[in-house]
Amino acid sequence: MSDAVHTQIEETVKNHRVLIYMKGNPTFPMCGFSAATIQIFDSLGVPYETVAVLQDSAVRDGIKSYSNWPSVPQVYLIGEFVGGCDIIQEMHGRGELEPLVRAAIEAD
């Protein structure tokens, strides 16, 4: 994977407190996992940013190698990879996700 793509991804990740790399966009998710992840974040009522990976194959492949995670969506909080849909669903179900997201939003 190109260093330029990883640099672009790293800058995007570090410049957003809550970031979701996904298929499609929040209004029109292009897979069930992306839709489920967006539904969780919408239910939290918090601001978040997204990157649509289907528009750029280099970003779609690059995010997987950047995080060493094989699938999309991918959630990042304050520059740190949290997980994909399954992990986000588990954390949300246990009540662990919301405090982390709120802390990310309020972090200095």
Side-chain angles (χ1 to χ4, degrees):
M1 187 51 44
S2 119
D3 288 341
V5 171
H6 277 187
T7 299
Q8 173 191 348
I9 290 169
E10 185 169 2
E11 288 177 10
T12 303
V13 166
K14 291 188 183 296
N15 286 323
H16 296 92
R17 294 175 183 266
V18 181
L19 180 64
I20 304 169
Y21 278 82
M22 64 179 290
K23 294 179 179 175
N25 61 57
T27 304
F28 191 66
M30 300 294 288
C31 81
F33 298 114
S34 290
T37 301
I38 292 303
Q39 184 177 19
I40 288 170
F41 277 84
D42 285 348
S43 77
L44 297 177
V46 297
Y48 59 87
E49 298 292 328
T50 64
V51 174
V53 301
L54 294 178
Q55 296 175 342
D56 187 337
S57 62
V59 172
R60 182 175 64 240
D61 295 336
I63 192 62
K64 294 174 185 178
S65 63
Y66 176 81
S67 64
N68 198 28
W69 189 260
S71 60
V72 173
Q74 294 186 13
V75 174
Y76 292 81
L77 299 177
I78 320 174
E80 296 295 323
F81 176 62
V82 178
C85 181
D86 54 345
I87 292 172
I88 295 303
Q89 287 177 319
E90 289 173 17
M91 291 175 71
H92 182 61
R94 292 191 305 253
E96 298 170 353
L97 182 64
E98 185 171 10
L100 287 176
V101 172
R102 296 214 180 272
I105 292 168
E106 297 168 1
D108 289 337

